Amino acid sequence: MSMILYHTPASPFGRKVVVMLHETDLIEQVELEIVQQTPLNPNRDVIDANPSGKIPALRLEDGTTLHDSRVILDYLDTLHQHTPMIPHHGPERWRRMTLASLADAMTESAVQIRYETFMRPQGLQWKLWLDNQHEKIARSLDYFEQTALPELEGHFDMACIGLACLLGYLDLRVANWHWRGEYPKLAAWYTEADQRPSMQATRPEAR
Amino acid sequence: MSMILYHTPASPFGRKVVVMLHETDLIEQVELEIVQQTPLNPNRDVIDANPSGKIPALRLEDGTTLHDSRVILDYLDTLHQHTPMIPHHGPERWRRMTLASLADAMTESAVQIRYETFMRPQGLQWKLWLDNQHEKIARSLDYFEQTALPELEGHFDMACIGLACLLGYLDLRVANWHWRGEYPKLAAWYTEADQRPSMQATRPEAR
């Protein structure tokens, strides 16, 4: 029995894991099980594996289950022979983890925007909340555009995967935001990143 | 210049970091800077250090800043001589990280409940969302009560710190939920955990 990854292709956190599986040639070792769920309708298999109901969750061969995406990525990073996705020590380790965390924070905000606009009944939507999630993402994208972009060259690691999956999610779920015009250098970086086989193989389809 | 931790005492994610500083005798090496903010009013110092505006954030002596709480905890865990807060490798590492992640997921749900009931205008509150956040926490607490509790004995590590801070936060911000009656074994565990000097020194006050 191989490992099983519970995920949904449209989830940016699940996509990070699948992109990493492709980048590290581990993809054949993991069975991808797609689960359909929302925060309002968690899936029974997922709850059995992770009582919080969140995905992605990775069931190991011994039956134990790991979550969330960061824990899964930390584990998978010990299974391959390529350059580590997160440096093992030194200042570089925490810098890359911080950049990956910044990408995750943007992704959480983007997911909040999606919940607010798509799931929550229209009469209960709160513009101030939406604006603030949007600002949080904008400030962070600006930080990558103005400051951190040179750090994204070289190895396509956890920080790069997180950022690429966030930008893909914006295109998918916050599609009315034409972020490329505001962050042209980031847009150029993403155009190239998005061509990677790992990104192409995991492109989510809107529905 | 020593390290500076930007945090707010009422935040359960910031509290995790301060509890760890106490548990590992690192507390004297870090200056605690309390910032007042909400997601709607991020603090300028925080934004400079972390564009997402989220706290806790840890400014190192060299001027770089680490975030979020998990990254900070991973870094701090290399600075002390006590038993590691997260095992360095082996199945135990990912098990403890998964339990800590489960505590974090509950904490995120509890923060969502707080935002929904305290920050969002009353007419825009959505009961179904609240109920689902509540259920997510309840399922996870039940998992600790029924299954994972024995794993909380012994070293008071990251998983224990995360869970203790979550339970303290429920008492502070979701105080109408009398969880102790539903999870008596967990309540007994928390009564003892809450007596630790690290927990006593970081007890948030409602306001």
Side-chain angles (χ1 to χ4, degrees):
Chain A
M1 186 181 138
S2 63
M3 295 184 274
I4 301 173
L5 181 71
Y6 298 100
H7 81 121
T8 171
S11 154
F13 293 107
R15 190 182 184 189
K16 283 197 306 181
V17 176
V18 186
V19 169
M20 170 164 175
L21 291 173
H22 281 282
E23 291 284 341
T24 56
D25 293 325
L26 289 171
I27 191 73
E28 298 298 333
Q29 296 182 41
V30 179
E31 190 181 318
L32 302 183
E33 184 160 329
I34 294 178
V35 289
Q36 299 302 342
Q37 68 167 16
T38 73
L40 303 181
N41 285 302
N43 178 288
R44 176 53 48 190
D45 285 349
V46 172
I47 288 176
D48 288 347
N50 172 8
S52 84
K54 290 176 87 170
I55 50 173
L58 180 71
R59 188 185 287 263
L60 305 185
E61 296 182 15
D62 69 4
T64 61
T65 300
L66 307 184
H67 59 87
D68 54 13
S69 68
R70 287 200 205 174
V71 177
I72 295 169
L73 294 164
D74 186 277
Y75 171 70
L76 292 175
D77 213 17
T78 65
L79 300 187
H80 65 84
Q81 305 302 321
H82 299 258
T83 306
M85 283 291 160
I86 303 160
H88 293 157
H89 27 233
E92 193 63 7
R93 173 176 176 79
W94 295 288
R95 177 59 181 165
R96 302 309 291 186
M97 286 174 83
T98 294
L99 291 178
S101 160
L102 189 55
D104 280 352
M106 284 192 280
T107 305
E108 283 159 18
S109 287
V111 168
Q112 289 286 331
I113 290 173
R114 171 73 176 170
Y115 288 169
E116 186 80 19
T117 53
F118 184 77
M119 212 171 59
R120 185 180 287 263
Q122 211 157 12
L124 304 181
Q125 296 174 8
W126 188 23
K127 186 170 180 309
L128 188 60
W129 176 255
L130 277 173
D131 289 348
N132 274 274
Q133 299 299 332
H134 188 286
E135 272 170 39
K136 228 190 282 193
I137 300 171
R139 277 197 311 266
S140 304
L141 289 181
D142 196 58
Y143 177 77
F144 277 105
E145 178 83 7
Q146 305 292 339
T147 304
L149 201 75
E151 296 177 66
L152 300 179
E153 303 305 325
H155 181 40
F156 194 75
D157 72 350
M158 268 320 306
C160 296
I161 291 175
L163 183 61
C165 290
L166 171 270
L167 293 172
Y169 188 75
L170 288 182
D171 285 348
L172 181 73
R173 295 298 196 212
V174 196
N176 58 347
W177 184 3
H178 303 291
W179 59 270
R180 286 175 178 75
E182 297 170 55
Y183 312 102
K185 286 185 279 184
L186 204 48
W189 175 83
Y190 180 63
T191 297
E192 197 174 318
D194 191 42
Q195 293 308 312
R196 300 179 73 87
S198 62
M199 292 293 289
Q200 291 286 321
T202 57
R203 183 185 297 279
E205 279 171 40
R207 55 177 154 189
Chain B
M1 185 181 138
S2 62
M3 295 184 276
I4 301 172
L5 181 71
Y6 298 102
H7 80 123
T8 171
S11 153
F13 293 107
R15 190 181 184 190
K16 281 197 307 179
V17 177
V18 186
V19 168
M20 171 163 174
L21 290 173
H22 282 283
E23 291 283 342
T24 56
D25 294 325
L26 290 171
I27 190 75
E28 299 298 332
Q29 296 182 41
V30 180
E31 191 181 317
L32 301 183
E33 185 161 330
I34 294 177
V35 289
Q36 298 302 340
Q37 68 167 17
T38 73
L40 304 180
N41 285 300
N43 178 287
R44 178 53 48 189
D45 284 350
V46 173
I47 289 176
D48 288 346
N50 173 7
S52 84
K54 289 175 88 170
I55 50 174
L58 180 71
R59 188 185 287 264
L60 305 186
E61 296 182 13
D62 69 5
T64 61
T65 300
L66 308 183
H67 59 86
D68 54 13
S69 67
R70 287 200 206 175
V71 178
I72 295 170
L73 293 165
D74 186 277
Y75 171 71
L76 293 174
D77 213 17
T78 65
L79 300 187
H80 65 84
Q81 305 301 321
H82 298 257
T83 307
M85 284 290 162
I86 302 160
H88 293 157
H89 27 232
E92 193 62 7
R93 174 176 174 80
W94 296 288
R95 177 60 182 165
R96 301 310 291 186
M97 287 174 84
T98 294
L99 291 178
S101 161
L102 189 56
D104 280 352
M106 283 192 281
T107 305
E108 282 159 20
S109 287
V111 169
Q112 290 286 333
I113 289 173
R114 171 71 176 171
Y115 289 168
E116 186 79 20
T117 53
F118 184 78
M119 213 170 61
R120 185 179 288 262
Q122 211 157 10
L124 304 181
Q125 296 174 7
W126 188 23
K127 185 169 180 309
L128 188 59
W129 176 255
L130 278 173
D131 289 348
N132 274 274
Q133 300 299 331
H134 188 284
E135 271 169 39
K136 227 191 283 193
I137 300 172
R139 276 197 312 264
S140 305
L141 289 180
D142 196 59
Y143 177 78
F144 277 106
E145 178 82 7
Q146 306 291 340
T147 304
L149 201 75
E151 296 176 66
L152 300 178
E153 302 307 324
H155 181 39
F156 194 75
D157 73 349
M158 268 319 307
C160 296
I161 291 175
L163 182 62
C165 290
L166 172 270
L167 294 172
Y169 187 75
L170 288 183
D171 285 349
L172 182 73
R173 295 299 195 211
V174 195
N176 59 348
W177 183 4
H178 303 292
W179 60 270
R180 285 176 178 77
E182 297 170 55
Y183 312 102
K185 287 186 279 184
L186 204 49
W189 175 83
Y190 180 63
T191 298
E192 197 175 317
D194 191 41
Q195 293 308 311
R196 299 178 74 87
S198 62
M199 291 295 288
Q200 291 287 322
T202 56
R203 183 185 297 279
E205 279 173 39
R207 56 175 156 191

